[in-house]
Amino acid sequence: MTGTTTGTGTDTGAAPQEDVVHVLLAQHQRIRGLFADVRAAQGEHRQQAFDELRALLAVHETGEELVVRPAAERAAGRSETSARNREEAEANRALLELEKLDVASPEFDAELTAFQQAVEAHAQHEETEEFPALLASCDADQRRAMGRRLLAAERIAPTHPHPGTAGKPALQWTVGPFASLLDRAKDAFARHRD
């Protein structure tokens, strides 16, 4: 199997569908696309695009905190991972506030703009600081194993922001599965209303 190059310019040597860095980079691209979708959509379609963005951000951040941050702390240091966890906790609070707003309101647009800038800055930090450290310190097999664990964690992660658990992996392991069940039930009811 041949290696592939990431946005960091480093050959990962691992299959893109499993390598944790490739998985996260693909999710970052999807998040960027969903921000554009939310901005372009109107009415019910805008709400649906925002709901998809919200759910992806929630599971993505949970997966990173549970699977990626322990390895990143060893590779990049505690100050790096603490900064990313703080950003994610702030993003959870902002996402929770956005979730309360009417997607058609000017207030939503203003909050979405600020939130998008914060999410982009966070992703840039990960892509230029955290991911290269992971690539340097973890071999392809380790990154594939992390990628599988990340995807498994995301399948059972909450789909709504829970600021009280953001940046706190022990709480996420304890509370996360219950919050996930409630969130997924809430999502199902929302899809079938009216």
Side-chain angles (χ1 to χ4, degrees), residues 57-58 61-62 64-65 69 81-97 115 118-119 122 126 161-169 172:
L57 284 168
E61 298 303 341
T62 298
E64 283 184 332
E65 289 177 21
R69 291 288 135 61
T81 57
S82 292
R84 300 299 73 79
N85 282 343
R86 278 192 305 278
E87 291 166 359
E88 287 170 0
E90 291 169 15
N92 257 277
R93 287 188 289 276
L95 191 55
L96 184 63
E97 292 306 312
F115 180 63
V119 169
H122 172 76
E126 288 177 338
H162 295 275
T165 62
K168 302 171 186 163
Q172 288 183 353

Side-chain angles (χ1 to χ4, degrees), residues 66-107:
L66 293 176
V67 176
V68 176
R69 291 288 135 61
E73 186 170 320
R74 290 186 297 276
R78 184 173 297 215
S79 64
E80 172 65 26
T81 57
S82 292
R84 300 299 73 79
N85 282 343
R86 278 192 305 278
E87 291 166 359
E88 287 170 0
E90 291 169 15
N92 257 277
R93 287 188 289 276
L95 191 55
L96 184 63
E97 292 306 312
L98 272 168
E99 195 173 29
K100 295 175 187 177
L101 298 174
D102 178 351
V103 297
S105 72
E107 185 180 12

Side-chain angles (χ1 to χ4, degrees), residues 29-53 108 112 116:
Q29 284 304 110
R30 180 69 186 132
I31 289 165
R32 289 175 178 114
L34 285 170
F35 270 114
D37 291 349
V38 172
R39 293 201 169 288
Q42 293 182 347
E44 184 179 321
H45 296 292
R46 190 172 208 207
Q47 184 65 57
Q48 290 170 347
F50 176 70
D51 289 345
E52 187 176 348
L53 172 65
F108 178 87
L112 183 69
Q116 183 176 1

